[in-house]
Amino acid sequence: MTPSTTAKWDEFMEGIWKQNPIFVMVLGMCPALAVTVSAVNAISMGIATTFVLTCSCLLVSLMRKMVPKEVRIATYIVIIATFVTAVDYFIQAISLALYDALGAFIQLIVVNCIILGRAEAHASRNPPLVAVSNALGMGAGFTIGLFALGSVREILGNGTLFGFSLFGEHFQPWVIMVLPPGGFFVLGAWLLLFAWFERRKQAIKEAGQHA
Amino acid sequence: MSAKHPTTEQAPPATPTWAMIRTLGLVAGICGLVIVGSYQGTYDAVAANKRIAMERAVFKVVPAARSINAYYALEGGGVAKAEGEAPAGAVNFFAGYDETGKLVGVAAEGVAKGYADAVRIMFGYDPDCGCVRNIGVVAMRETPGIGDKIAKDKEFLANFEKLDAQLNAGMSALAHEIVTVKHGSKTDAWQVDAIAGATITSRAVGRAINDAAQALLPKLVPHLDKIKDKS
């Protein structure tokens, strides 16, 4: 890989692991808790957010030299709102059932702090390809995070994954998991796991220094 | 901001007005094109999806139907084909026809407040027996495992095999209001037996059907002849 491809790859990986929006930055919690009752909903929400994030960051990056800082928030919000409206129509065209399941959370992507945060902190200071790599990575990381929540909640709370029954007819679903409190439980469990990883890495590093 | 990030160029004292206007104008133009483009690009697919979803809901509650027509029951009585804007006070309903074009049932939608949000119910009306047959849930956000049983619970759905919805002698309202009663206390053909533990959602179903039937049937039943055959 050439150095510039490596740099873009690093930008992409940033969002998936080191700065994962859900597990590391703990951003965008509103959709992360509300729509992750099933794996399909979680992935659809992730893809919709990734689309808005990538398109907005591309446009913000292309326009970065001509946006005076006095009007930058207004500019970014208009750009983000535009792509949210577009994705809203796309989802209605793809599936009304999905549109009903995601409900108001599609429109609420406008105020998802990951997107405005990326536009402001990254896309407005980097050339288009770098900005898009970073946005795609953040989007993928967000989707993975939502899927981690949605799949666990669907398996425990409904006994299915992607709608396919896993445990047969006699499974008694753990209904609380698809109710709002279940979202907090599962999110807490995932954060715990990531914190444990972080601790262990730290401990290994320190042990290495002492040795 | 600029104080923290010193640049080699001297920052201008104030951003010129035209630069701000230009940027905002340009962004508005680009965004306008994107929005209008995606609206028009998806319009047909969205309309087709909505029609399919509606037809599926109607066929579910009027299973004998092979084709459907949408109508308005007008304020002063009478029916009109549903085209364009609904006239004031009109009630939307669907008529289902069999292969020979004979009316086999009517479907309409009712809404009532459930436990979490509005519960939207599509119900079938059988003109021959003057009763509600079959219901389908169009939309709800009821608690999974409790309120959402209204869509699947066999005992509850048995209420709608032949739920009495006869009009009174003057044809001004239902002879008996459709009401939901506590689980196990149903005595009459116009009562809905609630699901134990999901009384609020069960009541919403009864109320949705009652309200819609009270609004629709007095306008429709005296004019049923007009829609008897598919036109």
Side-chain angles (χ1 to χ4, degrees):
Chain A
M1 277 199 270
T2 62
S4 96
T5 352
T6 327
K8 275 172 206 121
W9 184 248
D10 285 346
E11 287 286 351
F12 180 76
M13 289 312 287
E14 188 90 337
I16 293 194
W17 189 251
K18 252 190 255 162
Q19 285 203 49
N20 186 294
I22 301 246
F23 298 128
V24 180
M25 298 201 286
V26 199
L27 287 179
M29 285 299 109
C30 168
L33 291 166
V35 301
T36 55
V37 291
S38 74
V40 172
N41 283 5
I43 291 191
S44 318
M45 188 68 195
I47 292 174
T49 310
T50 306
F51 172 83
V52 176
L53 182 59
T54 310
C55 295
S56 313
C57 283
L58 176 65
L59 196 53
V60 167
S61 170
L62 285 172
M63 296 188 72
R64 69 188 186 283
K65 292 203 175 118
M66 55 181 295
V67 178
K69 67 178 193 304
E70 289 79 4
V71 295
R72 69 183 197 286
I73 301 289
T75 314
Y76 301 158
I77 284 291
V78 169
I79 290 173
I80 295 166
T82 299
F83 289 110
V84 170
T85 313
V87 94
D88 189 88
Y89 287 126
F90 294 154
I91 292 178
Q92 281 189 64
I94 294 166
S95 159
L96 278 181
L98 181 64
Y99 185 75
D100 287 337
L102 297 181
F105 294 97
I106 301 169
Q107 286 105 45
L108 283 176
I109 296 175
V110 178
V111 290
N112 190 320
C113 44
I114 300 168
I115 301 177
L116 188 59
R118 281 295 101 186
E120 165 90 9
H122 194 276
S124 60
R125 291 173 196 164
N126 288 285
L129 279 177
V130 178
V132 165
S133 311
N134 184 278
L136 278 173
M138 282 288 163
F142 188 62
T143 310
I144 292 168
L146 292 187
F147 177 70
L149 283 163
S151 54
V152 170
R153 289 179 73 187
E154 190 182 344
I155 291 170
L156 296 177
N158 212 15
T160 59
L161 186 61
F162 292 109
F164 295 109
S165 179
L166 293 181
F167 308 115
E169 286 211 350
H170 298 289
F171 177 72
Q172 271 297 325
W174 194 2
V175 175
I176 190 92
M177 284 304 173
V178 290
L179 299 180
F184 286 98
F185 290 151
V186 177
L187 178 67
W190 278 112
L191 291 178
L192 201 64
L193 184 73
F194 271 76
W196 177 74
F197 264 131
E198 193 60 33
R199 273 276 180 88
R200 215 179 57 146
K201 215 170 79 188
Q202 206 93 37
I204 291 171
K205 209 165 142 198
E206 275 169 24
Q209 278 169 356
H210 288 304
Chain B
M1 198 93 183
S2 50
K4 282 188 201 160
H5 303 281
T7 49
T8 46
E9 272 175 277
Q10 187 63 44
T15 309
T17 316
W18 67 268
M20 294 192 272
I21 301 281
R22 176 204 62 190
T23 304
L24 288 171
L26 185 69
V27 165
I30 295 174
C31 292
L33 286 178
V34 172
I35 291 178
V36 174
S38 49
Y39 170 73
Q40 291 190 329
T42 57
Y43 183 83
D44 290 335
V46 174
N49 266 347
K50 285 190 175 154
R51 205 185 56 243
I52 291 167
M54 186 273 293
E55 281 178 356
R56 209 176 280 156
V58 173
F59 284 136
K60 196 183 162 220
V61 296
V62 189
R66 290 294 162 268
S67 63
I68 54 171
N69 277 357
Y71 289 100
Y72 293 129
L74 303 173
E75 171 79 88
V79 292
K81 273 221 156 158
E83 280 159 344
E85 284 279 295
V91 182
N92 196 3
F93 72 95
F94 307 96
Y97 298 94
D98 65 6
E99 293 92 342
T100 59
K102 205 175 129 295
L103 181 72
V104 287
V106 168
E109 206 184 295
V111 186
K113 172 95 182 69
Y115 186 73
D117 199 352
V119 177
R120 304 170 72 91
I121 300 287
M122 181 76 86
F123 64 93
Y125 172 78
D126 183 342
D128 293 333
C129 72
C131 60
V132 169
R133 284 185 196 269
N134 302 314
I135 61 162
V137 178
V138 180
M140 66 167 166
R141 295 201 177 276
E142 302 300 283
T143 318
I146 305 173
D148 76 344
K149 277 193 193 159
I150 56 164
K152 289 201 192 97
D153 191 278
K154 288 200 181 76
E155 226 178 285
F156 181 69
L157 293 178
N159 282 305
F160 308 100
E161 273 161 20
K162 201 176 173 189
L163 181 72
D164 186 89
Q166 305 264 11
L167 289 182
N168 60 16
M171 288 201 164
S172 58
L174 294 182
H176 305 282
E177 229 176 75
I178 295 169
V179 283
T180 305
V181 295
K182 249 185 148 173
H183 181 68
S185 62
K186 170 171 169 149
T187 51
D188 294 300
W190 53 85
Q191 292 177 337
V192 176
D193 192 15
I195 299 173
T199 315
I200 295 177
T201 312
S202 307
R203 277 207 193 113
V205 175
R207 213 166 43 241
I209 296 175
N210 183 59
D211 292 354
Q214 298 276 21
L216 171 68
L217 297 181
K219 296 191 185 83
L220 168 65
V221 173
H223 304 277
L224 266 176
D225 284 348
K226 284 187 193 157
I227 58 164
K228 220 166 180 174
D229 296 295
K230 192 176 163 90
S231 52

